[in-house]
Amino acid sequence: ALGWACWKMYLGRPEADGLRFMAFGALGECLRRSSQPEEALPVLKAFLATIRRCYPRSDEAILDAQTRVSNCLEDIGRLDEALVLNRAIHARYVAWRGASDENAIMSGMSVAGSMTALELYDECKAFARNQLLPAARPLGADHDITLKFNVILANSLGLSLERTRDDLLEVE
């Protein structure tokens, strides 16, 4: 209800108005978080399309909107599509800000999470290994994000069909 009220309040504003964008995003997120992800998806896709049209050079706004769409796709079980989008988001963050940027690291975690949900353990194993060093360097080995990547890697190593004895030792 709050999302719809927010949207109705700012609907009459110009398309490129910042408050209208905030209301648009709030509506999509409120629908998604209130167990209505099927209804949220077209709103979030329209939000993304509007940002691309009004602010084509705003990488941050576009990546944020893409992340919202990806999260919604995961919520409704469209995991393959979420993985494709998560990979694109991660590649853009790495190209834009570098592999050691916190947003790039977080988007890498989303890629690994999507791979795990799809049971792509072998691919996730290689990906997580490549992400650990860029995560540990700026954040430190004891940071929550670095530790989560270690958990993802350990799960992938343990569940991989192509695991080796060295992989199992690495999990220990």
Side-chain angles (χ1 to χ4, degrees):
L2 183 59
W4 281 112
C6 189
W7 173 243
K8 287 178 185 177
M9 175 106 176
Y10 296 105
L11 180 62
R13 300 184 74 84
E15 184 179 48
D17 183 77
L19 293 174
R20 180 182 168 127
F21 273 112
M22 287 176 30
F24 209 164
L27 172 60
E29 281 299 302
C30 286
L31 287 170
R32 186 177 81 78
R33 292 175 188 233
S34 65
S35 302
Q36 299 177 45
E38 293 86 4
E39 290 83 7
L41 186 59
V43 173
L44 293 171
K45 284 184 173 184
F47 177 61
L48 173 59
T50 305
I51 289 175
R52 283 183 170 149
R53 186 172 53 256
C54 294
Y55 301 103
R57 292 186 196 98
S58 180
D59 286 336
E60 191 166 350
I62 292 169
L63 289 166
D64 177 65
Q66 286 178 314
T67 300
R68 292 174 188 223
V69 171
S70 174
N71 291 338
C72 192
L73 287 168
E74 288 177 356
D75 290 347
I76 60 177
R78 291 166 58 179
L79 303 177
D80 290 322
E81 293 173 69
L83 176 57
V84 169
L85 189 51
N86 281 333
R87 282 181 170 151
I89 292 166
H90 179 65
R92 185 65 197 120
Y93 268 124
V94 170
W96 179 36
R97 293 187 166 177
S100 295
D101 173 73
E102 191 166 342
N103 287 316
I105 295 165
M106 292 298 295
S107 67
M109 190 168 311
S110 294
V111 172
S114 292
M115 289 176 182
T116 301
L118 288 165
E119 299 180 2
L120 301 173
Y121 303 119
D122 296 321
E123 190 174 349
C124 186
K125 176 175 67 172
F127 182 80
R129 278 185 174 141
N130 288 333
Q131 297 302 304
L132 267 174
L133 187 57
R137 210 177 291 132
L139 302 175
D142 291 335
H143 192 280
D144 285 350
I145 294 171
T146 307
L147 294 172
K148 287 177 185 175
F149 256 120
N150 277 313
V151 169
I152 289 169
L153 177 58
N155 287 335
S156 296
L157 289 170
L159 296 169
S160 171
L161 295 175
E162 297 179 13
R163 66 182 173 257
T164 65
R165 180 166 165 41
D166 290 338
D167 287 342
L168 295 175
L169 290 173
E170 187 177 342
V171 172
E172 292 177 355

